[in-house]
Amino acid sequence: MNDALRALVLAGGALALAACSTNGSGGEVNSASATPATASPAVDAPYPSTYKPYPGAPTALVGATVYDGTGRKFENTTVLLRDGRIEAVGSGLDLAGYTVVDGSGKFVTPGVIDVHSHLGDYPSPAVAAHADGNEMTDPTTPDVWAEHSVWPQDPGFSRALANGGVTSLQILPGSGNLMGGRSVTLKNVPSRTVQGMKFPGAPYGFKMACGENPKRVYGNKGRKPMTRMGNFAVDRQTWLDAKEYAADEDRKRDLGQETLVGVLDGEILVHNHCYRADEMALVMDMAKEMGYRVSAFHHAVESYKIADLLRENDVCSAVWADWYGFKMESYDAIPENAALIHNSGACIIIHSDDDNGIQRLNQEAAKAQAAGKRMGIDIPDADVIRWFTLNPAHAMGIDAMTGSLEPGKMADVVLWNGNPLSVYSRPEKVWIDGALMFDAMDPKRKPVSDFELGQPGEGDVK
């Protein structure tokens, strides 16, 4: 980051801070209108976003291969950025008044989006004093909000930007509880406060978990739940209590119940940690019983077994490329999972759940694509780009604003020095809302968190 931008962050300058659906034939998400819009308002907003884009300039990326995030590929194409928005994508465009960036031999994509991150809540260095992502004092803690643990100085944010081209990310509570609390969606920019990073207009998410984690945590405490049937019993009773609360006109304010009612009203999106196919099917039945819907199953290593059910229920699967076998519920994971889900017409997302993995979501997607090709499922590169751009935006409820290079959307853009699905390629430049936030060729455009200042290896992103 250059000195001027750093000063804006530190001084709180006004310029720096302020206020899956599918088509059934390959997992394509139908994006909302490209007209700038905000998502449905959250049920309450006592901690509103104060985000304002950093200053940018009209920019033309000329001559690159463009993957627009919707499944389309354009050769030797120009992308125009102006006033924080995508202005046009095409050829023969008028470049007068634009800063021209030569993209010959390079590639342009939408900004990378991670639907499952714990940056800020489990920041680097990973010491006990920084462990703020799991409130494991009760199996249901819908009253807690991930944003109240986010440390904006986490060096992981700048690593995700510089190495991974990540422009937006959802910060989730951990998976120790059946109901872990609210998530928060952030723009990946330096800020003194979490409010200065909050994605304006993004709906809240709600983290749930099934399977081994909650039953192990609370079984070891000698309390319910200690079995999978206990998990479901606690969940169901909690939802029933929330429905009673919603119907009580004389109710006293309850932070946890407010979150649950927001989910039942469809204003807060459910992101459910779940591995096994049978449990995902049961969770979808429970959602129908209680009157909510699951936006995405996270980790979802057995989604390939029920991809048709996920397609029919409009539920995305956020997966790794090849993590498997580290606990019993991950035993049946296969590297072809993502390709099989995509091939069934269901929504597929590549996620990280890891401060290193978030720096390589493009490579993880390429690994999953290659695994599919080995079994005869040949997925075009342009479709794979969706797995870490438009599809996560859809699951997070922000696809009307970002996730693709459609005119009117936020100018969250990555210029790659080669094909982004190659292990040899890296982000060369990254724009967020049209502001150049990273430039591999300019030392002044390599952001460094306050925590790193004066530390050995400051700003090193190798």
Side-chain angles (χ1 to χ4, degrees), residues 84-107:
R85 302 284 173 177
I86 303 296
E87 186 169 53
V89 178
S91 57
L93 303 174
D94 183 2
L95 305 184
Y98 289 86
T99 298
V100 175
V101 175
D102 184 7
S104 301
K106 301 173 185 177
F107 289 70

Side-chain angles (χ1 to χ4, degrees), residues 88-385:
V89 178
S91 57
L93 303 174
D94 183 2
L95 305 184
Y98 289 86
T99 298
V100 175
V101 175
D102 184 7
S104 301
K106 301 173 185 177
F107 289 70
V108 173
T109 71
V112 176
I113 300 173
D114 191 0
V115 74
H116 189 122
S117 176
H118 300 294
L119 291 183
D121 278 9
Y122 283 107
S124 301
V127 296
H130 279 169
D132 288 315
N134 260 317
E135 182 59 40
M136 291 187 292
T137 52
D138 191 278
T140 62
T141 56
D143 53 324
V144 303
W145 297 20
E147 66 196 77
H148 296 149
S149 284
V150 170
W151 185 43
Q153 294 183 36
D154 182 359
F157 288 120
S158 58
R159 300 299 192 275
L161 175 72
N163 291 331
V166 175
T167 56
S168 300
L169 62 167
Q170 178 174 224
I171 310 302
L172 293 155
S175 55
N177 295 343
L178 293 167
M179 297 180 176
R182 294 199 199 193
S183 70
V184 63
T185 296
L186 304 178
K187 301 285 278 193
N188 193 15
V189 298
S191 175
R192 298 176 304 159
T193 66
V194 67
Q195 292 98 323
M197 301 175 73
K198 284 180 71 172
F199 193 116
Y204 283 106
F206 182 54
K207 175 67 176 293
M208 295 185 66
C210 59
E212 291 184 27
N213 284 14
K215 81 187 190 78
R216 180 190 69 248
V217 169
Y218 292 96
N220 287 340
K221 297 177 186 287
R223 60 169 298 184
K224 191 176 183 178
M226 66 178 296
T227 62
R228 282 179 162 84
M229 61 185 174
N231 285 350
F232 273 85
V234 173
D235 273 340
R236 293 177 71 216
Q237 189 60 55
T238 303
W239 287 119
L240 290 173
D241 293 346
K243 292 163 80 75
E244 269 190 33
Y245 177 84
D248 183 1
E249 295 182 359
D250 298 320
R251 61 183 178 268
K252 292 182 180 179
R253 189 173 184 192
D254 182 294
L255 295 178
Q257 297 290 5
E258 286 179 0
T259 292
L260 295 172
V261 171
V263 173
L264 294 172
D265 287 345
E267 295 180 340
I268 298 176
L269 307 179
V270 171
H271 294 269
N272 203 311
H273 162 117
C274 213
Y275 285 74
R276 283 182 9 189
D278 58 311
E279 285 190 280
M280 286 186 270
L282 283 169
V283 167
M284 288 187 284
D285 285 343
M286 178 171 61
K288 292 174 184 175
E289 176 192 14
M290 297 300 170
Y292 70 94
R293 66 173 299 272
V294 178
S295 183
F297 284 116
H298 291 231
H299 312 332
V301 300
E302 291 188 14
S303 280
Y304 66 95
K305 297 181 180 181
I306 55 164
D308 56 331
L309 298 181
L310 296 166
R311 181 188 66 241
E312 292 163 9
N313 285 277
D314 187 22
V315 180
C316 292
S317 296
V319 306
W320 300 291
D322 52 10
W323 287 23
Y324 77 100
F326 49 91
K327 53 183 175 178
M328 285 307 302
E329 63 188 4
S330 68
Y331 187 79
D332 265 357
I334 60 172
E336 298 85 3
N337 188 29
L340 288 166
I341 298 165
H342 176 93
N343 201 45
S344 77
C347 168
I348 180 66
I349 297 165
I350 298 295
H351 72 345
S352 78
D353 190 29
D354 180 73
D355 59 346
N356 288 309
I358 194 173
Q359 301 175 44
R360 284 170 278 280
L361 291 175
N362 58 310
Q363 295 178 19
E364 294 300 299
K367 285 197 295 183
Q369 177 192 31
K373 189 169 186 177
R374 285 193 294 270
M375 71 173 300
I377 301 174
D378 197 355
I379 304 170
D381 290 357
D383 285 344
V384 174
I385 298 298

